[in-house]
């Protein structure tokens, strides 16, 4: 993770300057697309949001030290004192003048440090699969991203699906991963909490016949996939798959996240609180141009 920490140091070199994400990606020895996506998965917030918070943290120190709001606003690239005041209040819940009062409680964004965590007693079960082109057929909706705990929008969507539709879909499944799938696609590169994504209740098939009426179709091209397996308590065990992939597997392997849908196949035990799952993520070799 040494190169990633060098990218952080470039941000810290001058928090008043514009930061070029392409330059950060070059330091991290990857593409801008991959850098943005991996940064959000590793840090839990988009790189643009991290930079904004770091700037506000530094700007707050200057405000508290007595600098005028206008001077600080100009120094940190805000178009006006009013724009800075709005950003300041959104970050702290206080105006700059309120922040100067004794006892004011303020927020700060610490400087990030990336570390590769190695745990010899925890191996990630995975395999690399070369998969021919296939189709996803099912129903889709737009939902907010939830990193931890149940996603109410997904639960409501799943409940709205007629069991007969699921039965019809299962009849179309003829390729890995088999059975009904939870599919996420069209995610924001930053993967920030609350950002929106396409969520599918679908199956994978190589059948090229027209989909049944009322179902959506997504064509998935031939490509490489990494397949992770897990078992444990739902939904925590499944949600950890994405975090473990970003923080443990990708930094240690010569692949990067590729554009495309991410597929989750789940087998629940009686009661639905525990079970097993497979996560399919599209990948490409690290040296391949994005």
């Amino acid at each position: 993770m040494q190169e990633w920490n060098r990218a952080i140091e470039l941000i810290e070199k001058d928090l008043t300057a514009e930061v070029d994400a392409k330059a950060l990606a070059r330091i991290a020895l990857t593409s801008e697309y991959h850098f943005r996506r991996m940064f959000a998965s590793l840090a839990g917030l988009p790189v643009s949001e991290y930079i904004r918070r770091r700037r506000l943290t530094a700007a707050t120190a200057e405000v508290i030290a007595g600098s005028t709001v206008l001077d600080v606003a100009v120094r940190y690239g805000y178009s006006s004192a009013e724009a800075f005041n709005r950003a300041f209040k959104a970050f702290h819940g206080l105006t700059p003048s309120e922040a100067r009062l004794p006892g004011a409680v303020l927020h700060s964004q610490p400087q990030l440090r990336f570390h590769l965590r190695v745990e010899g007693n925890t191996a990630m079960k995975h395999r690399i699969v070369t998969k021919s082109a296939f189709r996803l057929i099912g129903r889709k909706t737009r939902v907010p991203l939830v990193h931890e705990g149940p996603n109410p929008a997904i639960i409501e969507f799943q409940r709205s699906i007629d069991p007969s539709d699921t039965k019809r879909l299962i009849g179309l499944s003829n390729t890995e991963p088999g059975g009904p799938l939870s599919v996420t696609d069209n995610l924001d590169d930053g993967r920030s909490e609350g950002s929106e994504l396409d969520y599918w209740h679908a199956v994978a098939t190589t059948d090229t016949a027209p989909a049944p009426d009322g179902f959506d179709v997504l064509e998935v091209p031939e490509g490489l996939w990494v397949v992770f397996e897990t078992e444990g308590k739902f939904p925590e065990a499944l949600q950890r798959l994405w975090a473990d992939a970003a923080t443990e597997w990708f930094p240690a392997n010569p692949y990067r996240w590729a554009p495309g849908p991410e597929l989750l196949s789940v087998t629940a035990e009686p009661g639905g609180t525990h079970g097993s799952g497979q996560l399919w993520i599209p990948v490409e070799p690290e040296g391949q141009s994005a």
Side-chain angles (χ1 to χ4, degrees), residues 212-281:
D213 290 343
F215 289 117
D216 298 301
V217 177
L218 179 64
E219 303 289 345
V220 183
E222 177 182 1
L224 279 178
W225 299 76
V226 58
V227 183
F228 299 103
E229 299 180 11
T230 190
E231 57 185 27
K233 185 180 178 182
F234 285 2
E236 292 83 358
L238 303 177
Q239 291 171 326
R240 278 199 304 270
L241 277 174
W242 276 273
D244 289 345
T247 59
E248 296 186 22
W249 191 84
F250 277 102
N253 288 273
Y255 296 94
R256 63 188 177 199
W257 227 301
E262 296 160 18
L263 321 175
L264 183 63
S265 173
V266 173
T267 302
E269 296 176 359
T273 60
H274 290 74
S276 60
Q278 286 187 354
L279 173 63
W280 291 59
I281 295 177

Side-chain angles (χ1 to χ4, degrees), residues 18-33:
E18 287 296 319
V19 178
D20 182 1
K22 290 182 179 178
L24 299 177
R26 284 196 297 271
I27 292 174
L29 305 180
T30 188
S31 67
E32 181 181 358
Y33 171 86

Side-chain angles (χ1 to χ4, degrees), residues 27 102 136 157:
I27 292 174
L136 292 169
F157 173 67

